[in-house]
Amino acid sequence: MKDFFEESVERKGTASFKWDMTKEVFKTDTDVLPMWVADMDFRPPKAITDALHARVEHGIYGYTYIGDSVVEAITSWLSRRVSWNIKKEWILYSNGVVPSIGKAIQALTKPGDKIMIQSPVYPPFFSMVKENDRVIENCPLVEEKDQYGINFDAFEASLKTGVKMFILCHPHNPIGRVWTETELRKMANLCLENDVIIVSDEIHSDLVLKPYKHVPMASLSEEIAQQTITLIAPSKTFNLAGLQASISITPNKDFREKIQDVDKKLGFHTLNTFGILAMEMGYRHGEEWLEGLLDYLKGNVETVENYFKEHLPELKLVPAQATYLLWIDCRKLELSDAKLNKLFVEDGKVGFNPGTSFGKGGEGFVRMNVACPQATVLEGLKRMKQAIKG
């Protein structure tokens, strides 16, 4: 399986946002190695590709519905992978987790309502709140030794300011935390006490590195489940982002009906033919591939960690518990964020997400994507060293 992930697949010239938009994104004419946007440079499981080929060969792409076999694949996957047993009627579909967040905001809150997030966090959390005319209540995560945690006194105080919804990133992007059951229960119970709806973005839940385990927020109790909307997708798991298929799960009938009302206003009825098929094939046949991926990603994380220790002690890798996105502390370089970005892009010719794009607490950090062949990881590290030492 390792050889599969070692394959170098040429992505330039395929309208790849990651590879074909580097000049526009990084505002430079230099040949930048893109290690930023969250998709992988790996082919998906063969079962997905074969099924898509067969569908193309059939040659007719008319209106498609989501059948019971898709539902069975989703429910079976969640039962096997995270011991969460859900019902068919709990499931709604969307063309992405970000649109799902937007729909939940529109359906369950009003303009001017406060929505809480925890920076540094995935940038669309900010934009979805602002674009829907709601107010951000930011309760930043706190640095604790080598990792991040939650100040629960501040968390409770923020909720009591009139927050109506809390958007949780679980596992967390960009810091790579897998929240423990204890932490999840504390957050959920405080939300219950203050009647705050939980939107739990669990898109990276399949990408938890051993020995860590993902616990779905809604699996903790019936009461918590009734207060929670869980968002998942095969896009990060199997590298299918371009097929735009995601899932919202909640046992709360009132929540579902209100979200479905938003879907009606948007004219959204179902997913595209290829997204439906790829989702089913991934959840039905992708487990062996995923286990190989997780082993390979863990090796890439260790490569970065060891390289920093040997060659770049100025940089500190926040321990990665999940995702293929590494949160790198560059503060010992004592550079402004503008100069840090210039250092890597112009001098090193390597492109990362600047930490400032993730909000308060991201200053002096960059996010690095290591979902690529190890040779690419090593090339990126070499360019970092060249920039810093040069």
Side-chain angles (χ1 to χ4, degrees):
M1 184 64 77
K2 181 179 178 180
D3 291 344
F4 181 92
F5 298 108
E6 294 284 355
E7 180 188 9
S8 178
V9 181
E10 179 59 71
R11 297 187 63 192
K12 289 182 180 179
T14 64
S16 163
F17 194 76
K18 179 179 179 181
W19 285 90
D20 290 329
M21 294 290 288
T22 53
K23 291 183 179 179
E24 290 80 359
V25 170
F26 296 105
K27 298 177 175 59
T28 177
D29 288 331
T30 59
D31 187 17
V32 173
L33 179 66
M35 303 189 77
W36 63 296
V37 72
D39 70 8
M40 298 189 271
D41 292 334
F42 306 132
R43 299 185 193 275
K46 188 173 182 297
I48 294 176
T49 304
D50 288 348
L52 293 177
H53 275 304
R55 193 70 180 82
V56 168
E57 287 299 318
H58 179 267
I60 298 176
Y61 317 118
Y63 293 115
T64 310
Y65 68 94
I66 301 172
D68 288 343
S69 63
V70 180
V71 175
E72 194 279 329
I74 295 167
T75 57
S76 178
W77 178 267
L78 290 172
S79 179
R80 292 197 313 274
R81 299 296 299 184
V82 293
S83 301
W84 186 27
N85 296 312
I86 68 169
K87 297 179 180 179
K88 173 183 178 179
E89 58 267 25
W90 297 2
I91 300 174
L92 300 174
Y93 300 95
S94 182
N95 53 10
V97 162
V98 174
S100 295
I101 292 172
K103 289 192 287 187
I105 290 171
Q106 291 174 28
L108 303 172
T109 66
K110 298 179 295 187
D113 280 351
K114 283 188 175 183
I115 297 178
M116 193 171 84
I117 61 175
Q118 299 167 301
S119 70
V121 74
Y122 183 48
F125 281 23
F126 295 93
S127 61
M128 282 295 96
V129 176
K130 292 178 180 177
E131 292 295 334
N132 284 288
D133 300 317
R134 274 62 167 176
V135 178
I136 293 172
E137 173 69 22
N138 188 16
C139 183
L141 299 172
V142 293
E143 293 184 65
E144 299 175 341
K145 296 182 180 179
D146 292 332
Q147 194 46 272
Y148 285 77
I150 299 165
N151 180 330
F152 281 99
D153 290 336
F155 188 94
E156 183 175 14
S158 285
L159 292 180
K160 290 184 180 298
T161 65
V163 166
K164 300 299 182 184
M165 178 179 285
F166 166 45
I167 308 177
L168 171 67
C169 201
H170 171 48
H172 197 282
N173 169 19
I175 65 170
R177 264 303 309 273
V178 176
W179 301 115
T180 66
E181 184 172 337
T182 299
E183 291 169 319
L184 292 169
R185 286 190 183 278
K186 284 184 178 180
M187 288 189 280
N189 288 334
L190 287 169
C191 287
L192 289 172
E193 289 172 16
N194 291 279
D195 194 23
V196 173
I197 297 166
I198 303 166
V199 176
S200 187
D201 175 0
E202 302 186 14
I203 194 171
H204 290 102
S205 58
D206 289 321
L207 299 174
V208 172
L209 305 177
K210 295 173 184 177
Y212 300 96
K213 301 288 184 181
H214 177 76
V215 178
M217 172 64 90
S219 71
L220 295 176
S221 74
E222 175 60 25
E223 189 179 16
I224 292 170
Q226 287 291 332
Q227 195 77 355
T228 302
I229 301 162
T230 303
L231 309 180
I232 64 170
S235 52
K236 291 292 184 285
T237 307
F238 303 115
N239 203 26
L240 305 173
L243 296 182
Q244 298 187 321
S246 76
I247 303 154
S248 301
I249 304 168
T250 180
N252 189 309
K253 185 179 178 182
D254 181 58
F255 287 179
R256 293 198 307 271
E257 289 178 349
K258 288 178 177 178
I259 293 170
Q260 287 171 324
D261 285 342
V262 173
D263 278 336
K264 289 175 186 176
K265 292 174 183 177
L266 295 172
F268 175 81
H269 300 289
T270 190
L271 303 173
N272 78 77
T273 300
F274 295 103
I276 295 169
L277 182 59
M279 178 163 60
E280 178 177 357
M281 291 300 103
Y283 287 143
R284 196 173 292 285
H285 303 294
E287 202 152 10
E288 182 181 356
W289 180 94
L290 176 60
E291 289 300 328
L293 171 70
L294 292 172
D295 288 341
Y296 195 83
L297 291 177
K298 189 169 185 180
N300 278 355
V301 171
E302 291 170 353
T303 294
V304 173
E305 189 174 32
N306 293 334
Y307 192 94
F308 283 178
K309 288 177 181 178
E310 184 175 353
H311 301 287
L312 293 172
E314 307 94 327
L315 304 183
K316 177 184 174 183
L317 178 63
V318 174
Q321 299 175 356
T323 86
Y324 48 75
L325 305 165
L326 305 187
W327 192 234
I328 300 171
D329 185 349
C330 307
R331 289 175 292 186
K332 284 188 178 180
L333 296 177
E334 298 184 343
L335 296 174
S336 68
D337 288 285
K339 289 183 177 178
L340 183 63
N341 185 60
K342 182 179 178 181
L343 174 75
F344 288 132
V345 172
E346 296 187 12
D347 298 340
K349 297 182 175 58
V350 60
F352 305 125
N353 294 92
T356 49
S357 66
F358 300 92
K360 184 177 180 181
E363 302 85 358
F365 287 79
V366 297
R367 190 187 76 170
M368 179 185 193
N369 180 344
V370 295
C372 52
Q374 191 176 84
T376 304
V377 174
L378 290 169
E379 176 63 23
L381 292 169
K382 184 180 77 174
R383 294 185 184 205
M384 293 177 79
K385 179 182 176 182
Q386 182 178 331
I388 293 171
K389 301 302 183 183

